[in-house]
Structures are given as structure tokens and as C-alpha cells.
Amino acid sequence: MKLLEFLKRERKKSAPVAKERLQIIVAHQRSQRGQPDYMPKLERELVEVIRRYVDIDNDAVQISMDSEDNCSVLELNVTLPKS
């Protein structure tokens, strides 16, 4: 490839990609507000237990906690790899 062709080629714009990544980070941070202090440790420990049986990524586990009246609900979502 000639240098001029290299410079003229259309480059993907990084702004939309950066915006999407930032939205994901902000959503993740918002979801963790109001959670008990033990939630990050709980998530790490759950990932360790699941890894005993299935090879998963760190971000494959999503934990959320909702409270209504005097009841708390812990929701755990695990994205398993295709076998």
C-alpha cells in the first residue's frame, strides 16, 4: 500500500465507539450505587465458584440488588460461553 493511499483511506470514527463505552461504564456505576459494601466481594467469590465448573470472563457475571418494603431481592445473571 502506498503512503498516499494509506493516508486517504477512510478511518472509522472513534467518537461513537468511545461514547458507547462511556455509556456502559456510566450505567455500570449507576447500577452499583446504593448497593451494600459486600457486593463487589460477593461478585468475585461467585465468579470463582462458577469458574470451578465453567470457564467464564470476569464481566460475564452481573449482580443486582433491589429492595422493596422489607424484602431484598438479589439477582444474578451469568453469561455462559457456547459449548
Side-chain angles (χ1 to χ4, degrees):
M1 178 183 287
K2 296 179 183 178
L3 180 60
L4 187 57
E5 290 174 5
F6 176 76
L7 295 174
K8 285 185 177 182
R9 73 180 179 161
E10 185 177 329
R11 296 184 183 177
K12 293 182 181 178
K13 303 209 183 270
S14 62
V17 175
K19 180 180 177 182
E20 182 179 338
R21 288 180 182 164
L22 182 59
Q23 287 173 335
I24 292 169
I25 291 170
V26 169
H28 187 291
Q29 292 295 324
R30 284 183 182 161
S31 71
Q32 291 184 342
R33 280 190 209 150
Q35 291 184 349
D37 293 338
Y38 60 81
M39 290 302 283
K41 183 178 179 183
L42 176 64
E43 186 171 350
R44 284 191 305 273
E45 290 176 357
L46 286 169
V47 169
E48 289 173 13
V49 171
I50 294 168
R51 278 194 179 142
R52 292 181 193 166
Y53 304 96
V54 181
D55 185 30
I56 60 169
D57 294 332
N58 284 339
D59 57 346
V61 176
Q62 306 252 330
I63 299 175
S64 64
M65 180 177 265
D66 293 324
S67 297
E68 291 184 17
D69 301 326
N70 59 353
C71 180
S72 294
V73 177
L74 179 68
E75 182 179 351
L76 172 70
N77 291 306
V78 180
T79 305
L80 297 174
K82 294 180 181 179
S83 45

